[in-house]
Amino acid sequence: MGELANQIVQGVLVGGLYAMYAMGLSLSVGVMRFVNIAHGDLIVLFSFLILALIHATGIGALPATLMTLPIAFVGGYFLQRFLLQRVLGQGVLPIILVTFGLSIIIQNGLLGTFGADTRRVSGGGFETATLRIGGGINIGVLPLTIFIVAILMVLALDWLLYRTRLGARIRAVSDDPATANLVGLPSARVYATAMGIVGVTIAISAGFMSIWTNFDPTAGPSRLLIAFEAVVLGGLGSLWGTLVGGIILGVAQALGAQIDVSWQLLAGHIVFLVIFLARPEGLFPKY
Amino acid sequence: MDALLDITDLSVSYGPFHALGPVSLTVGAGEIVSIIGANGAGKSSLMKAIVGQAGRSEGKIVFEGEDITARTTAQIARAGIALVPEGRRLFPSLTVEENLRIGWEVGRQGAFGFDEIYALFPALAERRTLHVRHLSGGQQQMVALGRGLLANPKLLLCDEISLGLAPVVIADLYRIIPEIRDRGIGIVIVEQDITRSLAVADRFYCLLEGRVNLSGRPTNTNRDEVARHYFGM
Ligand SMILES: Nc1ncnc2c1ncn2[C@@H]1O[C@H](COP(=O)(O)OP(=O)(O)OP(=O)(O)O)[C@@H](O)[C@H]1O
Ligand SMILES: [Mg+2]
């Protein structure tokens, strides 16, 4: 009994990391209405960037991650402005092809630069610390931190989108880009800013991922799949839904692993499919 | 006196289909110009072409002495032309106040601020935190007009603002038009309803199948003549 409760708690915490992967995707799907196939690869790219920064300067994982945040914002801004924006509004296929191409470029670029080895970033002991809370449940300090940061990210993004002027502009452009232009809002620049914010969420999740899990240049697509499932489960456009979606996947995997280790990933996908068939619009749809 | 807006030989086509033109027209500062015409005459195409949102357009559009033909829609808006589009086109996920604020933020400084708009449309003041989808059609049209006015344009283009509204609501909206003109703003009113728009207009143009077939001052023009040109008889 205690073991089962423990597994569920661990699953919930893993769900926090999944939600973090998914948050940027949730924003780009909900606001700009496209799926970035390179989303997972961008997370892996930033993990390598953090790794390289640590090796080059000897600083810790936290300052290295913080240093990548402005790079991620600017990178997201220009990626949208000069590449993705050109193919938006031309149907679903061009944007998928462009981001798919981007995914391949990132993977091969990383392979060429860093090799195929599996990497991990040291969190300086942080990643092994645990809290014993009785009843056979141990909570890792790192997973708990990730979970709390994931909640803070939802709160921050929710505030940004629904309580600030920038958020109103982003929603206006998302509603109707042509009318946004008509009232003088340059929709391309507003979208670019939104993608900059997506970039920041990517860098934050890259920082935590690089400490908690192993990664290699081809690790992106599996992150994309998890993120995509969390977004669809939660309902398009709902950030809280995305968090719940991530938690459901995390718990499903933890329980699946109880049956057999090989069931871990499969259980997550099966739960996704079952819920998707029952509720294609997701649990908390905004649209 | 130079006109505020001076359009020369403007035409619009959608693929092989020729929707408008060539037409030439002018609008002065502090002048109300009415564009009338039946369904499909090309009125909305004319409005969209002015703000750079028509399919493919040719010709020359000069605003305040500057050629704006090649500018982007957002640049034209910031130069001082506000279009209140056909069908209102509000932002559905924004509240009344957020919709208005978008117009105000990107617009210019001028006579219209939130206080003026809420004084003109008290119904909006009570509903400022509501999402626009919860408003009646008339109130939505007030938001669309308010959003345009808050940009403090020098030229206001209104495309069928009375469409689908009750007569009392229309009268309410049209009561405001001369007040706006008296602040020196040029106004273009597009309507299918001849009586209503000619009653407030200083000048008018009648469109038939994309061409101006009659223009002048409502006071000097016989109503039967207008009706005949409107229907192309
Ligand atoms: N995007 C478009 N693509 C193709 N044809 C169009 C398009 N927009 C308008 N048209 C056509 O161009 C012609 C003029 O349309 P427009 O909307 O300018 O007319 P209108 O005078 O505003 O009509 P209404 O009174 O119905 O609003 C019509 O025949 C219409 O079918
Ligand atoms: Mg029209």
Side-chain angles (χ1 to χ4, degrees):
Chain A
M1 198 54 228
E3 180 52 26
L4 186 67
N6 188 44
Q7 287 309 317
I8 292 177
V9 170
Q10 304 310 326
V12 169
L13 294 178
V14 172
L17 183 67
Y18 292 169
M20 223 180 240
Y21 294 160
M23 224 162 287
L25 193 69
S26 183
L27 208 60
S28 56
V29 170
V31 170
M32 290 168 278
R33 314 279 157 90
F34 71 84
V35 175
N36 177 4
I37 304 289
H39 185 77
D41 302 293
L42 286 168
I43 296 175
V44 174
L45 173 68
F46 271 87
S47 295
F48 274 101
L49 192 64
I50 290 164
L51 186 77
L53 262 175
I54 292 171
H55 282 187
T57 61
I59 55 176
L62 181 66
T65 303
L66 290 178
M67 277 172 68
T68 62
L69 297 188
I71 302 173
F73 181 86
V74 174
Y77 187 98
F78 285 108
L79 178 66
Q80 179 71 32
R81 192 85 167 84
F82 295 111
L83 185 66
L84 304 182
Q85 191 68 33
R86 289 170 191 270
V87 286
L88 266 192
Q90 300 183 4
V92 277
L93 202 53
I95 188 82
I96 287 180
L97 291 178
V98 165
T99 55
F100 185 65
L102 188 65
S103 158
I104 291 171
I105 292 170
I106 293 172
Q107 286 184 35
N108 286 298
L110 289 175
L111 263 177
T113 316
F114 294 96
D117 294 350
T118 296
R119 309 297 188 108
R120 182 180 274 203
V121 168
S122 164
F126 181 51
E127 65 268 43
T128 50
T130 52
L131 303 171
R132 248 175 256 285
I133 59 166
I137 300 175
N138 296 330
I139 292 184
V141 173
L142 174 65
L144 183 64
T145 308
I146 291 177
F147 192 77
I148 292 170
V149 172
I151 291 176
L152 292 178
M153 283 167 73
V154 176
L155 284 172
L157 289 176
D158 224 43
W159 172 81
L160 186 87
L161 267 185
Y162 294 97
R163 294 278 174 271
T164 68
R165 294 182 179 191
L166 174 64
R169 289 174 174 218
I170 290 174
R171 280 179 291 136
V173 174
S174 167
D175 278 350
D176 187 344
T179 304
N181 284 329
L182 189 64
V183 298
L185 262 191
S187 48
R189 276 214 302 259
V190 174
Y191 268 179
T193 308
M195 199 61 186
I197 295 164
V198 170
V200 172
T201 73
I202 284 176
I204 295 173
S205 39
F208 284 112
M209 182 191 88
S210 63
I211 306 174
W212 197 6
T213 71
N214 294 328
F215 58 94
D216 64 72
T218 60
S222 62
R223 267 64 179 187
L224 170 71
L225 186 60
I226 287 284
F228 186 72
E229 289 181 347
V231 170
V232 174
L233 273 187
L236 299 191
S238 166
L239 293 165
W240 289 107
T242 299
L243 181 67
V244 173
I247 291 172
I248 290 174
L249 291 174
V251 172
Q253 288 189 358
L255 296 182
Q258 288 299 98
I259 303 170
D260 188 292
V261 187
S262 63
W263 269 79
Q264 182 179 353
L265 292 179
L266 194 58
H269 299 320
I270 289 174
V271 167
F272 165 74
L273 279 177
V274 168
I275 299 181
F276 178 68
L277 289 174
R279 256 183 94 85
E281 74 277 23
L283 298 171
F284 310 98
K286 267 249 161 79
Y287 304 110
Chain B
M1 194 196 81
D2 279 349
L4 180 64
L5 180 74
D6 194 340
I7 294 176
T8 318
D9 291 336
L10 181 67
S11 7
V12 174
S13 40
Y14 303 101
F17 179 72
H18 187 81
L20 177 77
V23 296
S24 299
L25 59 89
T26 62
V27 182
E31 185 182 38
I32 301 178
V33 170
S34 163
I35 311 278
I36 54 174
N39 256 320
K43 307 180 297 295
S44 296
S45 301
L46 171 61
M47 294 301 107
K48 288 185 199 157
I50 295 172
V51 298
Q53 275 190 334
R56 196 162 54 79
S57 62
E58 279 169 41
K60 191 171 174 192
I61 304 169
V62 175
F63 178 64
E64 289 197 302
E66 290 193 38
D67 190 340
I68 59 163
T69 318
R71 294 204 195 162
T72 67
T73 302
Q75 285 169 340
I76 292 170
R78 274 173 279 148
I81 300 181
L83 169 62
V84 181
E86 187 172 23
R88 299 164 200 140
R89 307 281 294 267
L90 299 179
F91 301 113
S93 65
L94 271 56
T95 63
V96 168
E97 183 139 317
E98 284 172 333
N99 264 281
L100 293 173
R101 187 176 294 284
I102 294 275
W104 183 71
E105 279 181 348
V106 293
R108 300 140 8 87
Q109 298 297 310
F112 291 105
F114 284 88
D115 292 346
E116 285 72 25
I117 296 303
Y118 287 139
L120 282 176
F121 307 115
L124 298 186
E126 299 156 18
R127 293 170 176 79
R128 55 180 85 185
T129 58
L130 286 187
H131 281 265
V132 289
R133 57 177 176 272
H134 300 303
L135 302 186
S136 71
Q139 291 160 353
Q140 291 187 4
Q141 190 64 69
M142 292 173 195
V143 177
L145 193 53
R147 184 179 67 185
L149 286 175
L150 273 167
N152 284 295
K154 295 172 195 160
L155 178 66
L156 181 72
L157 312 173
C158 301
D159 195 350
E160 303 218 30
I161 51 172
S162 67
L163 197 69
L165 301 183
V168 282
V169 182
I170 300 174
D172 221 30
L173 287 172
Y174 268 84
R175 172 181 54 83
I176 295 164
I177 301 291
E179 290 180 29
I180 302 169
R181 183 254 327 262
D182 293 343
R183 301 185 187 230
I185 297 172
I187 302 176
V188 177
I189 294 185
V190 167
E191 283 289 354
Q192 288 190 38
D193 178 345
I194 308 178
T195 319
R196 178 77 60 190
S197 72
L198 290 192
V200 293
D202 299 309
R203 280 190 306 120
F204 75 94
Y205 295 87
C206 181
L207 283 183
L208 180 71
E209 291 169 3
R211 306 272 189 139
V212 174
N213 66 355
L214 183 70
S215 64
R217 295 187 178 275
T219 42
N220 303 342
T221 314
N222 179 303
R223 282 304 140 99
D224 291 340
E225 198 186 348
V226 175
R228 269 190 290 111
H229 283 83
Y230 182 96
F231 293 110
M233 293 185 297

